[in-house]
Amino acid sequence: MSDEPTELADERVYLAGARAALARMRQQTLATEARGGDAIAAEYLAATLHRRAESLRDDPTGTLFFGRIDQSDPQAGAERWYIGRRHVADQHGDPLVVDWRADVSTAFYRASRAEPMGVTLRRRFGVDRGELTAYEDEHLSDPAEVTGDSRIVASEIERPRVGPMRDIVATIQPEQDEIVRADVATTVCVQGAPGTGKTAVGLHRAAWLLYAFRDRLSRTGVLVIGPNRAFLDHIGAVLPALGEVRVTHTTIEELLESVRVRAVDDSDVAVLKGDPRLAEVLRRAVWSRVREPTEALVVPRGSRKWRVPAHEVRDIVAELRTRGIRYDAARQMLARRLAHAVLLQMERSGDSPDDRVQDAVARSTPVTRYAKSLWPQLDPRHVLFDLLSDPVELARHADGLLDPRERELLLWTQPPRTRGAARWTSADTVLLDEIAALLNRPTSLGHVVLDEAQDLSPMQLRAVGRRCATGSATVLGDIGQGTTPWATDSWAESMTHLGKPEGHLEVLDRGFRVPAAVIEYAARLLPRMAPGLGAPVSVRENPGRLEVRAVGEERLLESLVEVVRKACGEPGSVGVILADDQVPKASTALTAAGLAHLVLGLDHGDTSEHPHQVLVVPARVAKGLEFDRVVVLEPAAIAEAEPDERTGLRRLYVILTRAVTELTVLHTRELPAELADSPDASTAPTHATA
């Protein structure tokens, strides 16, 4: 367009005005005096003003807006909206930039020629270090105009990066936006292939919910659950960048760890402990502790003794057991029910006791002692200890649920001498959480974002479901990336275990981050490891680069150093992914070659403050991460480290799909058969021998 330099100059002037307005908004906030009715109220107000001021801090390396829409409304006339990460207003309160989460911004993401939503023009801006460098226009009201995919969007998606994940507000696609803006009462399950942005969609959904339903969710809370700490570090900057800091991040292990984990289960034992049948075994074990009354309750009061016969107590206990309330709630009600039975006798004798008398009787030693003998207080650790150490106890509660071989698997081969000496496993913590929930109702959050959900066992899903029993969830995962022996093959089953069978399933199969050469190579594993699962499709014009290189065993580390050194000559992150037991040798070789790097899972510290270009990644922590260039060492060793073939191939699939631009596979051993065949011309990887 002939006026492009002038148009771009005008947009730069508008950006400068928006920056000045943001600075004014922040200055007004800082100048506001925190006056409250008392010291506590004043302190709370001061903290609120501080958070508000921090959210208004300008980032000179970014831009306040990334897009613009011009709308034509027959009644309101023409309107123009600039879309950005936060709301910016002028001195009169009129918007200069609207938050990407506002209703009016929906049209920026979803408008099309088929459904323009009143948009006549959509403009996207190219940005470099906070400056507007270019723009692209789509005239949605002009059917004659033909445009391809946005180069600005493609450039932003493929832009090299080092450090944690960035937000994707400038590149959200229509199908992603529909998930992001699903109602707060809707539980959404996203089956997302590698590179489809499912994790970013889940995080942006959390940010949108906090914007649209702030009052509700600020009271009930939002929780993000990820597969490991490396993953949480990787995504940890996204929500703060969107102005949302009151979101808790945790792993499933941290969420459920009520005891110190000091042992590891064999794979078959861990699978059994995650089986949903264990929920009924534990329920039986808990409620079996309620005893049948054999003697009457006798309550001395003054010169008289009041007697509640055993058969009447039996009816009280039976009624409490069938009310559907938690064990401890019923236990606490028992004393009051017994006291009420005593009061009825007092009334029949001509007395007129009031509530104070009933309270006194309920707290009396005879009643509390009697109630405790029938309905004892329980500790989850004691209940589980008895189950895992006593074959008779386990057989009684597992009757009809577990066969003798399964019961033998569950039992400790050498039971600890005391309860305090028990060496609990990670799978045990899930069972302890189930028992604790049988005793007392856990607090339910307003919303839970659960990532890599395909890897959770049914018992783990039940534990997560209890955390959002009265709220909703965003469940993210990919059945093809299941890397635990208990990984699910059915989202319907998983959602049922989560307690959200009504959850809405969305499928994302358009890959924006993983290039075609890489995704098509990795997808060769799908028919064997996840039959029936559709292969993802890369929609990027850039096919990426793929090299599969066979090397001699003596040259493996030398080749690794060579590839990493070359990759470091280009911008962007480099991930070296390999079997866990090979990490020390690879790290030593890189150090000897003078290539600085961070070993995920071993090195500690805030990687966002000191980002490394090169990261050495054990296979077990690679899930959810992405790098511009990935080097995979010895795929066969990665697959064989898992307990079974399916899990091994799925782990390998995850690792092969971590690359955004380039993938290099170095191997000395034979590749899995699915990867050893000659590549199709469409994927165009290079096979070489060194």
Side-chain angles (χ1 to χ4, degrees):
M1 59 183 68
S2 58
D3 293 333
E4 181 170 338
T6 301
E7 285 268 355
L8 189 58
D10 290 344
E11 298 289 19
R12 287 170 175 165
V13 170
Y14 191 90
L15 174 59
R19 287 197 189 280
L22 181 66
R24 176 188 49 75
M25 291 169 63
R26 185 169 189 271
Q27 189 56 43
Q28 287 180 344
T29 302
L30 291 171
T32 302
E33 188 174 351
R35 292 183 178 180
D38 53 41
I40 296 177
E43 185 176 346
Y44 178 82
L45 179 57
T48 301
L49 289 171
H50 174 74
R51 287 193 299 271
R52 167 70 173 165
E54 288 302 300
S55 71
L56 295 173
R57 188 185 295 274
D58 192 8
D59 178 7
T61 64
T63 183
L64 292 184
F65 54 82
F66 47 80
R68 184 189 109 188
I69 53 175
D70 294 358
Q71 290 181 306
S72 178
D73 188 297
Q75 296 179 341
E79 293 183 302
R80 175 174 295 176
W81 307 99
Y82 286 81
I83 316 299
R85 288 171 175 79
R86 60 165 66 87
H87 177 84
V88 181
D90 63 18
Q91 63 269 31
H92 305 296
D94 295 325
L96 296 174
V97 180
V98 295
D99 195 300
W100 68 275
R101 296 169 289 185
D103 288 344
V104 71
S105 300
T106 305
F108 176 77
Y109 297 109
R110 299 193 197 176
S112 65
R113 282 185 173 77
E115 294 185 35
M117 302 175 69
V119 176
T120 57
L121 179 143
R122 172 167 49 208
R123 174 169 290 180
R124 301 181 190 273
F125 294 100
V127 182
D128 184 26
R129 291 185 290 273
E131 293 294 329
L132 301 181
T133 58
Y135 66 86
E136 287 178 345
D137 284 349
E138 293 177 82
H139 296 276
L140 301 186
S141 60
D142 183 359
E145 180 178 303
V146 178
T147 59
D149 294 334
S150 168
R151 292 185 180 181
I152 285 178
V153 171
S155 176
E156 171 62 21
I157 290 174
E158 299 175 18
R159 179 158 56 99
R161 62 197 64 189
V162 174
M165 177 189 286
R166 296 196 303 259
D167 65 68
I168 63 166
V169 290
T171 62
I172 292 174
Q173 301 299 300
E175 66 268 32
Q176 295 174 329
D177 190 66
E178 289 184 9
I179 298 171
V180 167
R181 297 176 193 266
D183 186 74
V184 68
T186 302
T187 289
V188 180
C189 176
V190 181
Q191 160 61 37
T196 55
K198 59 182 177 296
T199 295
V201 166
L203 295 174
H204 286 67
R205 173 156 167 71
W208 180 82
L209 289 171
L210 284 164
Y211 174 88
F213 304 95
R214 186 167 301 279
D215 289 344
R216 182 191 308 189
L217 294 181
S218 63
R219 295 192 306 270
T220 56
V222 175
L223 175 68
V224 175
I225 303 175
N228 52 58
R229 267 291 143 195
F231 172 84
L232 294 179
D233 289 342
H234 180 61
I235 69 170
V238 174
L239 286 170
L242 299 174
E244 303 298 347
V245 294
R246 294 188 175 185
V247 176
T248 304
H249 295 69
T250 189
T251 65
I252 188 68
E253 291 80 12
E254 293 170 353
L255 180 69
L256 304 181
E257 191 172 7
S258 58
V259 294
R260 182 185 173 194
V261 173
R262 299 195 296 161
V264 178
D265 284 314
D266 291 338
S267 176
D268 51 355
V269 177
V271 171
L272 182 56
K273 288 181 178 179
D275 192 294
R277 292 174 295 166
L278 268 292
E280 175 59 19
V281 174
L282 297 176
R283 190 198 66 79
R284 293 177 182 179
V286 166
W287 286 94
S288 71
R289 302 302 178 100
V290 180
R291 303 182 181 95
E292 286 289 316
T294 57
E295 298 179 354
L297 166 65
V298 178
V299 182
R301 186 166 178 84
S303 60
R304 301 191 60 176
K305 290 185 178 180
W306 303 97
R307 184 177 182 275
V308 182
H311 70 85
E312 189 173 336
V313 176
R314 194 174 298 116
D315 291 341
I316 294 173
V317 170
E319 192 272 335
L320 287 174
R321 290 185 63 129
T322 58
R323 288 194 61 183
I325 58 178
R326 309 288 165 143
Y327 179 95
D328 275 356
R331 181 179 61 83
Q332 294 165 10
M333 293 173 64
L334 178 58
R336 292 194 59 82
R337 291 297 180 87
L338 294 173
H340 182 69
V342 172
L343 253 66
L344 291 178
Q345 293 192 19
M346 291 180 177
E347 290 173 349
R348 285 194 291 267
S349 69
D351 289 351
S352 300
D354 56 19
D355 289 344
R356 291 174 297 178
V357 174
Q358 181 173 334
D359 291 341
V361 173
R363 293 194 303 268
S364 67
T365 299
V367 171
T368 55
R369 184 185 294 125
Y370 185 85
K372 186 177 181 180
S373 70
L374 299 179
W375 210 298
Q377 186 171 358
L378 299 182
D379 184 320
R381 294 168 297 179
H382 296 170
V383 175
L384 188 57
F385 181 93
D386 292 345
L387 272 179
L388 300 183
S389 59
D390 186 342
V392 175
E393 179 82 356
L394 180 59
R396 181 160 66 101
H397 302 307
D399 183 42
L401 294 170
L402 305 179
D403 61 36
R405 185 191 66 84
E406 291 173 321
R407 297 199 297 268
E408 185 178 353
L409 271 179
L410 279 181
L411 289 167
W412 280 317
T413 54
Q414 293 183 330
R417 293 184 178 181
T418 65
R419 290 167 172 167
R423 294 174 60 83
W424 302 111
T425 67
S426 181
D428 290 333
T429 65
V430 187
L431 302 182
L432 291 170
D433 191 78
E434 181 81 23
I435 297 172
L438 289 165
L439 302 182
N440 293 289
R441 186 182 302 277
T443 301
S444 178
L445 300 167
H447 195 79
V448 171
V449 177
L450 174 62
D451 207 348
E452 304 297 347
Q454 76 282 346
D455 274 346
L456 269 60
S457 70
M459 293 297 285
Q460 288 174 320
L461 288 167
R462 286 174 59 88
V464 174
R466 290 190 287 271
R467 269 69 180 184
C468 56
T470 58
S472 57
T474 300
V475 180
L476 312 166
D478 178 11
I479 288 177
Q481 296 186 61
T483 54
T484 57
W486 49 82
T488 188
D489 286 319
S490 166
W491 283 122
E493 289 183 12
S494 293
M495 297 303 288
T496 298
H497 294 312
L498 190 72
K500 305 289 184 182
E502 77 291 348
H504 181 64
L505 178 65
E506 291 281 353
V507 177
L508 297 178
D509 56 9
R510 295 205 307 151
F512 303 100
R513 293 288 292 163
V514 185
V518 173
I519 198 65
E520 291 171 13
Y521 181 67
R524 296 180 183 184
L525 298 170
L526 286 175
R528 186 171 184 85
M529 70 183 202
L533 187 66
V537 177
S538 177
V539 297
R540 289 171 46 181
E541 291 185 4
N542 181 357
R545 294 197 294 268
L546 169 65
E547 179 181 9
V548 181
R549 185 191 303 180
V551 300
E553 185 174 353
E554 71 285 353
R555 290 208 61 231
L556 181 62
L557 295 179
E558 180 182 336
S559 299
L560 169 65
V561 169
E562 171 191 320
V563 172
V564 171
R565 192 183 302 280
K566 179 181 177 182
C568 288
E570 300 184 59
S573 56
V574 181
V576 178
I577 311 179
L578 64 172
D580 294 20
D581 60 0
Q582 295 182 329
V583 168
K585 288 184 179 179
S587 179
T588 299
L590 293 174
T591 300
L595 293 168
H597 60 280
L598 185 75
V599 179
L600 292 184
L602 296 180
D603 293 325
H604 303 283
D606 186 352
T607 58
S608 64
E609 291 293 331
H610 306 285
H612 287 68
Q613 184 179 14
V614 180
L615 293 101
V616 175
V617 186
R620 62 184 170 83
V621 299
K623 181 167 292 184
L625 307 180
E626 61 180 27
F627 308 93
D628 292 288
R629 291 167 183 79
V630 169
V631 186
V632 175
L633 258 65
E634 211 64 273
I638 292 172
E640 290 174 1
E642 301 299 330
D644 56 72
E645 181 189 53
R646 185 195 75 158
T647 306
L649 292 180
R650 287 183 171 187
R651 178 75 71 185
L652 188 54
Y653 177 73
V654 169
I655 287 165
L656 293 175
T657 54
R658 299 305 94 198
V660 175
T661 301
E662 179 178 348
L663 171 65
T664 302
V665 178
L666 301 176
H667 66 101
T668 64
R669 301 169 53 188
E670 287 189 8
L671 295 170
E674 293 77 10
L675 300 179
D677 298 335
S678 297
D680 296 333
S682 59
T683 59
T686 300
H687 281 250
T689 302

